[in-house]
Each structure stands twice: as structure tokens, then as C-alpha cells.
Amino acid sequence: MRHARVGTSASLVRCTVGADLMRRRNVTHYSIPAFDETGGPIREPGGEIGSAKTRVTGGEVLISKLNPRKSRVQIVGPVSPDELAVCSGEFIALRPRSIDARYLRYALMADGFRQGLEAQVQSVTRSQQRVSPEDVLHGRIAVPLRRSEQSAIADFLDIETSRIDDLVVARKRQLHLVRLRRLAWLDKLVRGIDLTPARRVFERIDQGWSAVADETPATQASEVGVLRLNAVDGGEFFPDRNKRLGKSALRDDWRRFVISDGDLLVSRASGSLERVGESALVSIPQDGPTLLFPDTLYRLTPGPKIRGAFAALVMRSSDVRSHLREVARGTANSKIRSSDLRELLLPLPSLESQAQIVVRWSMHGTQQRRVEGSLDRQINLLRERRQALITAAVTGDLTIPETPTAPSAA
């Protein structure tokens, strides 16, 4: 086992594709949001990308230069001759030369290498730490002398990490079932109550703004960010899931898209029909950036007849979610129309009853949240085990037997 700089085994990919070339094509796009969501690329119209990207042709190893403490490393899959594949500028693309690509991927994920990158970050803001391509190329990794050893380690980690990934998927499935049981109890709380159209209980129902923004999040009070679709997830609001908007990108009426505490956000469209109609109540952190809502979300402003916390609950009930999915299914691109949202029938008891239902829901959820917390901890422990296994294998602390070569025929 020798230690060498990454640049001795791989070269930097520098081929750039401009926005004009992508505009009229569907593009396979390796981006940070896509990796965080699916672990791979997304296929999207090139006209929606809006800025130059690095072209990849298959087999490159991509490592994020944003927040190196997060292990975002992947291998570009096969790319057909007539296909255009690109990666975000937040990825550094490496073309392996004298190293197994799978082994290189695992070596870049090892704790020691990641810690070395963290020491080179170019920002004091924790959420926007970046490393340069030169930092990655000069970083040192342990490299077995023989390619067969590299392949053996990669084969071993492929199998073992897949086993752990399967356990993570199983725990996530259990977590999903627990949450379904909790939502079933919510259905019992709100069924049988007289229904009222949403247009009569919300002061405003607005669609957001389609903005071209940076892929990095806005974090400072002086910055403006537009929310990503996944800022609304599982009934919770995640303000850090946003894209920073430069001053030049702001249009004259941008302030009407600013969200406030107590607003209710509802997803208008999503890559999955199951996620259409996801909702969450907005809570803005102190000293955070100004946040706008995008055209993939609706903003609902509760009126005097409905409490925001109660509105957030009923929007998550099975009857409401099922209805929203059904109306979206019948439209182009599976989107909820504003007219359908305005006519959506919601249970509307008295304000006093609304408060009581919110309290009962909160009390019932205490035990359920303990179960969810236990499953979350198990998932985190499995991920830690996965990371420790990768680090031990690529640093030589764990002996990996090479696959024996079959004897040749006499």
C-alpha cells in the first residue's frame, strides 16, 4: 500500500457545455440536489438548467467541492453517443487513469481524505464551505500497488455497503409505516366535521416564482434565497433547503413572494405523484436569509376562521392528500391547479375545537415520535458503520482477501 496524491492517478475534466447548447435537448444532469434526493442524476430539459456545466462522457468520478464533511461522491454511468450528460459546477469531475474508478470513489469517501479537505475550505461559513479542484488533486489517498487489490477492495465494499444500504432501506420502510399509523389517527380526529372550501378559510392562495438561482443555499440575513421543492418534506419545513438569488436575478415585484411565519406551503408539482400536496407550516429562523417560494409551491395564508397549526394538520390528512393526488393525476405533468386548491373541501370546526385537536394530536404523537426517534438513530448508526467500513478497507486497517484466480486448463 502506498500513499499518493489523487492527481497522480486521475486528471481533471475541464470540458464545458454552454447553456445555449443544452437549451433544446434533454440532459442527464448530475447535480447536488439530485444526488441528495436519489444518489444519482436527473433527466431534465436543458432549458431549465440556465448556466454552463461540465460535460461528462461516462466513468468519471464526481466529488462535491461544497461542504466536504458530507460524503458526496459518485461515478458517472454509461453515456450513449447521442446523449448529453453534464455535472454541476459544484462537482469536481475526475477521470481515472491508473486506478480502479470504484476504488477511487471509496478512497475519496474515507474519513482521512475528507478531513484533509475540510482543513482546506475557503469559507468560514459552515454551510458554504468549499474546496478547490487543486485541493482534491493534491489530497493524498492510500493506493494498493496492484489493480487486482484495488478491485478486490472495491468488490468487497460494493457487497458490504449494499448490505448496509438494504438495512437502511428496511428501517426507512418501518419508519414510513409508523408515520402512516400516526396519520391514520389524525384521520380519526378530523373526519365527520362539516367541510368548507379552502377559498373561504384562506385569505390568499398564491403560486410562487420561477427563478434561476445558484445551487448553493442562502444563509446570511443579507441574502435572498428561493426555496427548493424539498423544503416541504414530511409535514416539516426546512428553510436551509434553498438556492441563493443574486441581486441581478431579483425582479421588481420579488417582495410579494417573500414567505412569513404562519404561511402554509403546499407542493404544486413534484417528480413523484405521491409527493404532490406535501405541506408544512412556515417557521422562519432568526437572522436567516429572506426566503421566497418557487412556482412548484403554493402559499396559503390562513384567515381568521382557521388556525395555522390546524390547517397544517388537515392538509396532511388522508382524505385531503388523496383528493389532491387525484386532481393532479388528471392534469398535464401531474400538477395541482389553483382552482382545484381553492375548491378543496376542508373540515372546519370552531377555533376552540381546532385548538383541542392540535393539542390531542401533539399528545398522541409523543410516543410515536419516540419510536420514530429510535428508528432514526438506528439509521444513523448504520450509516456510521458504513463510513467506518469504507475507511478501514481503503486505509489497510481491514484485510481484504483478493479473489483467487481460477487455475488455467492444462
Side-chain angles (χ1 to χ4, degrees):
M1 184 82 70
R2 64 186 175 91
H3 287 79
R5 290 194 297 269
V6 172
T8 64
S9 301
S11 57
L12 194 64
V13 177
R14 299 181 182 275
C15 182
T16 301
V17 181
D20 290 342
L21 182 60
M22 292 184 283
R23 184 166 293 124
R24 299 182 182 277
R25 302 183 61 174
N26 286 329
V27 177
T28 301
H29 186 194
Y30 289 82
S31 68
I32 299 291
F35 180 86
D36 290 345
E37 184 78 18
T38 68
I42 57 172
R43 188 78 172 161
E44 62 180 329
E48 295 183 4
I49 295 178
S51 60
K53 303 295 176 186
T54 301
R55 184 167 191 168
V56 290
T57 56
E60 296 90 347
V61 177
L62 308 181
I63 178 171
S64 170
K65 60 184 178 185
L66 178 67
N67 300 337
R69 68 186 179 277
K70 295 183 179 180
S71 185
R72 294 185 177 111
V73 189
Q74 61 184 318
I75 298 177
V76 176
V79 178
S80 63
D82 60 343
E83 180 183 0
L84 180 59
V86 300
C87 74
S88 160
E90 294 293 0
F91 276 117
I92 297 166
L94 301 172
R95 190 178 304 284
R97 292 197 309 264
S98 57
I99 192 170
D100 184 292
R102 293 176 304 140
Y103 178 84
L104 176 59
R105 171 177 173 262
Y106 286 122
L108 297 178
M109 294 168 66
D111 287 339
F113 185 80
R114 290 165 59 195
Q115 290 164 5
L117 289 185
E118 284 192 70
Q120 303 296 323
V121 292
Q122 299 178 349
S123 170
V124 294
T125 305
R126 184 165 175 80
S127 63
Q128 294 189 36
Q129 294 177 336
R130 281 185 180 79
V131 294
S132 69
E134 289 71 26
D135 292 329
V136 173
L137 292 174
H138 288 115
R140 300 183 74 85
I141 57 174
V143 184
L145 296 177
R146 292 182 295 173
R147 288 289 291 268
S148 60
E149 293 178 85
Q150 299 172 23
S151 297
I153 292 172
D155 290 342
F156 169 81
L157 288 175
D158 283 350
I159 293 170
E160 295 303 319
T161 57
S162 291
R163 288 174 179 168
I164 295 174
D165 291 343
D166 288 343
L167 288 173
V168 169
V169 169
R171 293 295 178 270
K172 285 184 174 180
R173 189 179 299 116
Q174 290 176 306
L175 188 60
H176 176 67
L177 292 174
V178 169
R179 287 171 175 163
L180 285 180
R181 285 178 56 190
R182 189 173 177 217
L183 290 176
W185 195 79
L186 170 62
D187 293 338
K188 292 180 181 180
L189 287 177
V190 299
R191 278 182 181 153
I193 299 173
D194 290 342
L195 302 177
T196 302
R199 57 182 165 79
R200 294 185 180 176
V201 297
F202 292 103
E203 290 184 348
R204 298 184 61 180
I205 298 177
D206 300 313
Q207 184 179 327
W209 170 31
S210 177
V212 177
D214 294 342
E215 292 188 6
T216 53
T219 59
Q220 307 298 315
S222 59
E223 296 177 327
V224 177
V226 60
L227 294 172
R228 299 183 187 276
L229 177 60
N230 67 351
V232 175
D233 189 10
E236 296 186 49
F237 174 63
F238 297 90
D240 58 324
R241 298 178 182 178
N242 71 77
K243 296 185 289 186
R244 186 176 55 202
L245 277 168
K247 301 289 186 185
S248 60
L250 294 174
R251 50 191 237 192
D252 293 341
D253 63 344
W254 67 272
R255 293 187 182 278
R256 72 185 181 94
F257 299 104
V258 175
I259 59 172
S260 305
D261 281 343
D263 285 341
L264 184 66
L265 298 177
V266 179
S267 62
R268 169 176 168 257
S270 174
S272 167
L273 191 60
E274 288 300 309
R275 290 179 58 84
V276 169
E278 282 269 12
S279 61
L281 200 63
V282 170
S283 178
I284 303 293
Q286 290 185 347
D287 301 323
T290 300
L291 295 175
L292 317 181
F293 67 107
D295 66 343
T296 52
L297 294 173
Y298 285 112
R299 177 184 60 192
L300 285 63
T301 306
K305 295 181 180 179
I306 194 167
R307 296 176 183 268
F310 179 77
L313 281 185
V314 296
M315 289 299 295
R316 295 183 63 198
S317 66
S318 297
D319 288 346
V320 169
R321 289 296 304 279
S322 296
H323 177 74
L324 290 176
R325 284 194 292 266
E326 281 305 309
V327 297
R329 195 192 308 273
T331 64
N333 300 321
S334 297
K335 295 179 180 178
I336 300 172
R337 296 170 296 205
S338 61
S339 57
D340 290 323
L341 195 54
R342 292 176 191 281
E343 297 304 319
L344 177 67
L345 296 176
L346 301 175
L348 189 69
S350 66
L351 290 174
E352 181 181 357
S353 294
Q354 292 177 34
Q356 292 172 353
I357 289 173
V358 170
V359 170
R360 291 178 65 190
W361 166 257
S362 178
M363 293 175 61
H364 173 80
T366 301
Q367 182 178 359
Q368 294 283 67
R369 283 193 292 271
R370 280 199 291 265
V371 176
E372 292 176 15
S374 175
L375 289 169
D376 275 329
R377 286 190 293 274
Q378 291 179 45
I379 291 171
N380 289 332
L381 287 171
L382 285 167
R383 287 171 173 164
E384 289 174 8
R385 164 64 179 166
R386 185 184 194 273
Q387 182 59 38
L389 189 66
I390 291 171
T391 299
V394 301
T395 56
D397 291 338
L398 183 64
T399 302
I400 310 296
E402 288 189 59
T403 304
T405 304
S408 59

